[in-house]
Short mmCIF file of all heavy atoms in Angstrom, two decimals:
data_model
loop_
_atom_site.label_atom_id
_atom_site.label_comp_id
_atom_site.label_asym_id
_atom_site.label_seq_id
_atom_site.Cartn_x
_atom_site.Cartn_y
_atom_site.Cartn_z
N GLU A 1 -16.15 21.70 -16.69
CA GLU A 1 -17.60 21.84 -16.78
C GLU A 1 -18.17 20.60 -17.46
O GLU A 1 -17.68 20.16 -18.49
CB GLU A 1 -17.94 23.08 -17.61
CG GLU A 1 -19.42 23.31 -17.79
CD GLU A 1 -19.73 24.57 -18.60
OE1 GLU A 1 -18.78 25.28 -18.99
OE2 GLU A 1 -20.91 24.84 -18.84
N ASN A 2 -19.21 20.04 -16.86
CA ASN A 2 -19.95 18.93 -17.45
C ASN A 2 -21.01 19.54 -18.37
O ASN A 2 -21.93 20.19 -17.90
CB ASN A 2 -20.60 18.08 -16.36
CG ASN A 2 -21.42 16.94 -16.89
OD1 ASN A 2 -21.49 16.71 -18.09
ND2 ASN A 2 -22.06 16.21 -16.00
N THR A 3 -20.89 19.33 -19.67
CA THR A 3 -21.84 19.93 -20.60
C THR A 3 -22.96 18.98 -21.01
O THR A 3 -23.79 19.34 -21.85
CB THR A 3 -21.11 20.43 -21.88
OG1 THR A 3 -20.45 19.33 -22.50
CG2 THR A 3 -20.09 21.52 -21.53
N SER A 4 -23.00 17.80 -20.41
CA SER A 4 -24.02 16.82 -20.80
C SER A 4 -25.24 16.88 -19.88
O SER A 4 -25.24 17.56 -18.85
CB SER A 4 -23.43 15.41 -20.81
OG SER A 4 -23.23 14.94 -19.50
N ASP A 5 -26.26 16.14 -20.26
CA ASP A 5 -27.50 16.07 -19.48
C ASP A 5 -27.47 14.99 -18.41
O ASP A 5 -28.47 14.76 -17.74
CB ASP A 5 -28.69 15.81 -20.42
CG ASP A 5 -28.95 16.97 -21.36
OD1 ASP A 5 -28.65 18.13 -20.99
OD2 ASP A 5 -29.43 16.72 -22.49
N THR A 6 -26.34 14.30 -18.27
CA THR A 6 -26.20 13.26 -17.25
C THR A 6 -24.99 13.56 -16.36
O THR A 6 -24.10 14.33 -16.75
CB THR A 6 -26.01 11.87 -17.90
OG1 THR A 6 -24.86 11.90 -18.73
CG2 THR A 6 -27.24 11.48 -18.74
N ALA A 7 -24.96 12.94 -15.20
CA ALA A 7 -23.86 13.15 -14.26
C ALA A 7 -22.56 12.56 -14.80
O ALA A 7 -22.56 11.65 -15.62
CB ALA A 7 -24.21 12.53 -12.91
N MET A 8 -21.45 13.09 -14.30
CA MET A 8 -20.12 12.64 -14.69
C MET A 8 -19.34 12.31 -13.43
O MET A 8 -19.35 13.07 -12.47
CB MET A 8 -19.41 13.76 -15.45
CG MET A 8 -17.97 13.48 -15.77
SD MET A 8 -17.19 14.84 -16.69
CE MET A 8 -16.76 15.94 -15.36
N ASP A 9 -18.69 11.13 -13.42
CA ASP A 9 -17.84 10.73 -12.30
C ASP A 9 -16.47 10.36 -12.83
O ASP A 9 -16.35 9.67 -13.85
CB ASP A 9 -18.46 9.54 -11.56
CG ASP A 9 -19.72 9.92 -10.83
OD1 ASP A 9 -19.62 10.67 -9.85
OD2 ASP A 9 -20.81 9.47 -11.25
N VAL A 10 -15.44 10.79 -12.11
CA VAL A 10 -14.06 10.54 -12.54
C VAL A 10 -13.18 10.36 -11.30
O VAL A 10 -13.39 11.01 -10.28
CB VAL A 10 -13.54 11.69 -13.44
CG1 VAL A 10 -13.56 13.02 -12.71
CG2 VAL A 10 -12.16 11.38 -13.99
N ILE A 11 -12.22 9.44 -11.40
CA ILE A 11 -11.19 9.28 -10.38
C ILE A 11 -9.97 10.03 -10.89
O ILE A 11 -9.52 9.81 -12.02
CB ILE A 11 -10.83 7.79 -10.16
CG1 ILE A 11 -12.04 6.99 -9.69
CG2 ILE A 11 -9.65 7.66 -9.19
CD1 ILE A 11 -12.54 7.35 -8.31
N VAL A 12 -9.43 10.92 -10.06
CA VAL A 12 -8.25 11.71 -10.41
C VAL A 12 -7.12 11.31 -9.47
O VAL A 12 -7.29 11.35 -8.25
CB VAL A 12 -8.54 13.22 -10.28
CG1 VAL A 12 -7.30 14.04 -10.58
CG2 VAL A 12 -9.70 13.62 -11.18
N ILE A 13 -6.00 10.89 -10.05
CA ILE A 13 -4.83 10.52 -9.26
C ILE A 13 -3.78 11.59 -9.48
O ILE A 13 -3.23 11.72 -10.58
CB ILE A 13 -4.28 9.13 -9.67
CG1 ILE A 13 -5.36 8.06 -9.49
CG2 ILE A 13 -3.04 8.78 -8.85
CD1 ILE A 13 -5.85 7.48 -10.76
N GLU A 14 -3.53 12.39 -8.43
CA GLU A 14 -2.53 13.45 -8.51
C GLU A 14 -1.17 12.84 -8.17
O GLU A 14 -1.01 12.19 -7.15
CB GLU A 14 -2.83 14.57 -7.53
CG GLU A 14 -4.09 15.33 -7.85
CD GLU A 14 -4.34 16.49 -6.91
OE1 GLU A 14 -3.81 16.48 -5.76
OE2 GLU A 14 -5.05 17.41 -7.31
N LEU A 15 -0.20 13.07 -9.04
CA LEU A 15 1.15 12.55 -8.85
C LEU A 15 1.98 13.63 -8.17
O LEU A 15 2.10 14.73 -8.69
CB LEU A 15 1.75 12.15 -10.20
CG LEU A 15 0.87 11.21 -11.01
CD1 LEU A 15 1.44 11.01 -12.40
CD2 LEU A 15 0.69 9.89 -10.29
N LYS A 16 2.53 13.32 -7.03
CA LYS A 16 3.27 14.32 -6.26
C LYS A 16 4.75 14.01 -6.23
O LYS A 16 5.15 12.88 -6.45
CB LYS A 16 2.72 14.38 -4.84
CG LYS A 16 1.26 14.75 -4.80
CD LYS A 16 0.91 15.31 -3.48
CE LYS A 16 -0.52 15.79 -3.54
NZ LYS A 16 -0.76 16.87 -2.67
N GLY A 17 5.54 15.00 -5.92
CA GLY A 17 6.97 14.79 -5.75
C GLY A 17 7.70 14.69 -7.06
O GLY A 17 7.60 15.57 -7.91
N HIS A 18 8.41 13.60 -7.25
CA HIS A 18 9.24 13.41 -8.44
C HIS A 18 8.38 13.38 -9.70
O HIS A 18 7.19 13.14 -9.65
CB HIS A 18 10.04 12.12 -8.32
CG HIS A 18 10.95 12.12 -7.13
ND1 HIS A 18 12.08 12.89 -7.06
CD2 HIS A 18 10.86 11.48 -5.95
CE1 HIS A 18 12.65 12.71 -5.89
NE2 HIS A 18 11.94 11.85 -5.19
N SER A 19 9.02 13.58 -10.84
CA SER A 19 8.29 13.55 -12.10
C SER A 19 7.66 12.18 -12.31
O SER A 19 8.01 11.22 -11.65
CB SER A 19 9.21 13.89 -13.26
OG SER A 19 10.09 12.83 -13.51
N ALA A 20 6.75 12.12 -13.25
CA ALA A 20 5.96 10.90 -13.46
C ALA A 20 6.69 9.87 -14.31
O ALA A 20 6.08 8.98 -14.85
CB ALA A 20 4.63 11.27 -14.10
N LYS A 21 8.02 9.97 -14.42
CA LYS A 21 8.77 8.98 -15.18
C LYS A 21 8.78 7.67 -14.43
O LYS A 21 8.88 7.64 -13.21
CB LYS A 21 10.20 9.45 -15.41
CG LYS A 21 10.32 10.68 -16.28
CD LYS A 21 11.78 11.08 -16.42
CE LYS A 21 11.88 12.37 -17.20
NZ LYS A 21 13.27 12.84 -17.27
N SER A 22 8.73 6.57 -15.16
CA SER A 22 8.84 5.27 -14.50
C SER A 22 10.07 4.57 -15.03
O SER A 22 10.49 4.78 -16.16
CB SER A 22 7.59 4.42 -14.77
OG SER A 22 7.49 4.13 -16.14
N LYS A 23 10.66 3.73 -14.22
CA LYS A 23 11.84 2.98 -14.62
C LYS A 23 11.59 1.53 -14.28
O LYS A 23 11.35 1.19 -13.12
CB LYS A 23 13.07 3.51 -13.89
CG LYS A 23 14.35 2.87 -14.37
CD LYS A 23 15.53 3.54 -13.72
CE LYS A 23 16.81 2.90 -14.22
NZ LYS A 23 17.98 3.51 -13.58
N MET A 24 11.65 0.69 -15.28
CA MET A 24 11.43 -0.73 -15.05
C MET A 24 12.68 -1.35 -14.44
O MET A 24 13.79 -0.95 -14.76
CB MET A 24 11.08 -1.43 -16.38
CG MET A 24 9.78 -0.95 -16.98
SD MET A 24 9.41 -1.74 -18.54
CE MET A 24 9.34 -3.45 -18.05
N ALA A 25 12.49 -2.34 -13.58
CA ALA A 25 13.62 -3.03 -12.96
C ALA A 25 14.50 -3.63 -14.04
O ALA A 25 14.03 -4.18 -15.02
CB ALA A 25 13.12 -4.12 -12.03
N GLY A 26 15.81 -3.48 -13.87
CA GLY A 26 16.75 -4.07 -14.81
C GLY A 26 17.07 -3.21 -16.01
O GLY A 26 17.86 -3.61 -16.86
N THR A 27 16.47 -2.01 -16.14
CA THR A 27 16.79 -1.14 -17.25
C THR A 27 17.71 -0.02 -16.79
O THR A 27 17.77 0.29 -15.60
CB THR A 27 15.52 -0.52 -17.88
OG1 THR A 27 14.87 0.28 -16.89
CG2 THR A 27 14.59 -1.58 -18.40
#
């Protein structure tokens, strides 16, 4: 719920599939 007197905009990136863990190259 937007509780303010102005509009709210947001970009939502849904992560699908595997967990959101990242692995850097070489680690």
Side-chain angles (χ1 to χ4, degrees):
E1 179 179 358
N2 178 3
T3 59
S4 73
D5 294 331
T6 59
M8 174 179 83
D9 291 291
V10 59
I11 300 292
V12 177
I13 301 112
E14 294 183 338
L15 307 173
K16 300 203 174 209
H18 300 288
S19 72
K21 294 179 184 176
S22 65
K23 186 174 180 181
M24 296 178 60
T27 62

